[in-house]
Amino acid sequence: DNAPTVQADAIGAGSALFVASNGDYIDCGTGIGTALGDSYDGGLSVCAWFNTNLADTDQAIFAIDSYDTDDDAEDEFLILLGHEGAGSINFQVRGAGISTITFTDIKNWHHIGAVYDGANNIKHLYLDGVLVDSDSASNALDLNGLRTIIGSYDNVGDHSFDGNLAQVGVWDAVLTQAQIQSIMEKTYEELT
């Protein structure tokens, strides 16, 4: 499917600037993880607009994670840039089954959609409204007590996002491609 033409104002004027050298991130607390609980095999979708200054470093757009000092502990749901090699986007569920696509277009805005479908044991990765990868995801998520973090993961100081993030949204549903395309065309005020 082709990506839709995005309205010029879809990103809006408001975005958050993250500076990797400052270790910037937004900690949204444990509310989402606690609400969904352990052994969660429903739907979980995350969408966001991003532009980055770097495509070759391990940096996170979004994570539901223990946010501790162990790089591999409790990595339940991660959207990363540059993790499995320079110039890549990665979507991980439970630290395994990494979906990886090539990405080198820094400095331009892009829309990312990461969808976990626990009932059907699959995950999907969308870039600019186009499905770019699907992989199996056979393990239920253990989210209870984990932190929702925008712009970082694992509190080791070297995974901070470098660039801008806007309109980060989380749904406890399996979003379709049409829904992701609709979301990327809307401002916050237009979303229901």
Side-chain angles (χ1 to χ4, degrees):
D1 292 72
N2 292 328
T5 302
V6 178
Q7 298 172 3
D9 67 346
I11 298 168
S15 69
L17 173 64
F18 294 80
V19 179
S21 61
N22 292 343
D24 295 340
Y25 66 92
I26 299 170
D27 185 341
C28 300
T30 60
I32 292 173
T34 300
L36 297 176
D38 286 339
S39 300
Y40 181 72
D41 64 356
L44 183 60
S45 300
V46 175
C47 292
W49 279 100
F50 73 96
N51 74 2
T52 182
N53 300 314
L54 307 168
D56 59 353
T57 60
D58 188 3
Q59 56 181 317
I61 293 173
F62 180 90
I64 299 179
D65 183 78
S66 61
Y67 204 67
D68 61 16
T69 57
D70 181 351
D71 241 357
D72 298 315
E74 302 297 338
D75 296 340
E76 291 297 312
F77 189 101
L78 302 174
I79 305 170
L80 309 169
L81 294 177
H83 180 66
E84 290 293 312
S88 65
I89 295 177
N90 314 100
F91 174 31
Q92 297 181 33
V93 174
R94 300 234 28 206
I98 300 171
S99 294
T100 302
I101 63 165
T102 300
F103 177 80
T104 57
D105 184 17
I106 64 172
K107 306 248 183 202
N108 292 310
W109 281 98
H110 293 279
H111 189 267
I112 189 100
V115 178
Y116 166 76
D117 180 350
N120 293 302
N121 298 319
I122 195 164
K123 62 185 173 164
H124 306 288
L125 181 62
Y126 297 86
L127 182 64
D128 297 328
V130 176
L131 178 65
V132 292
D133 198 14
S134 293
D135 283 315
S136 64
S138 58
N139 296 326
L141 298 176
D142 290 332
L143 302 171
N144 191 36
L146 298 185
R147 306 188 84 66
T148 299
I149 306 290
I150 299 171
S152 189
Y153 81 100
D154 289 329
N155 189 16
V156 294
D158 61 351
H159 301 304
S160 295
F161 188 77
D162 197 75
N164 289 280
L165 293 172
Q167 294 182 303
V168 179
V170 181
W171 291 262
D172 62 347
V174 177
L175 295 181
T176 65
Q177 182 173 19
Q179 289 171 317
I180 288 172
Q181 289 176 347
S182 177
I183 288 164
M184 68 183 269
E185 292 178 346
K186 292 177 170 54
T187 63
Y188 274 133
E189 294 78 20
E190 296 170 320
L191 292 173
T192 58

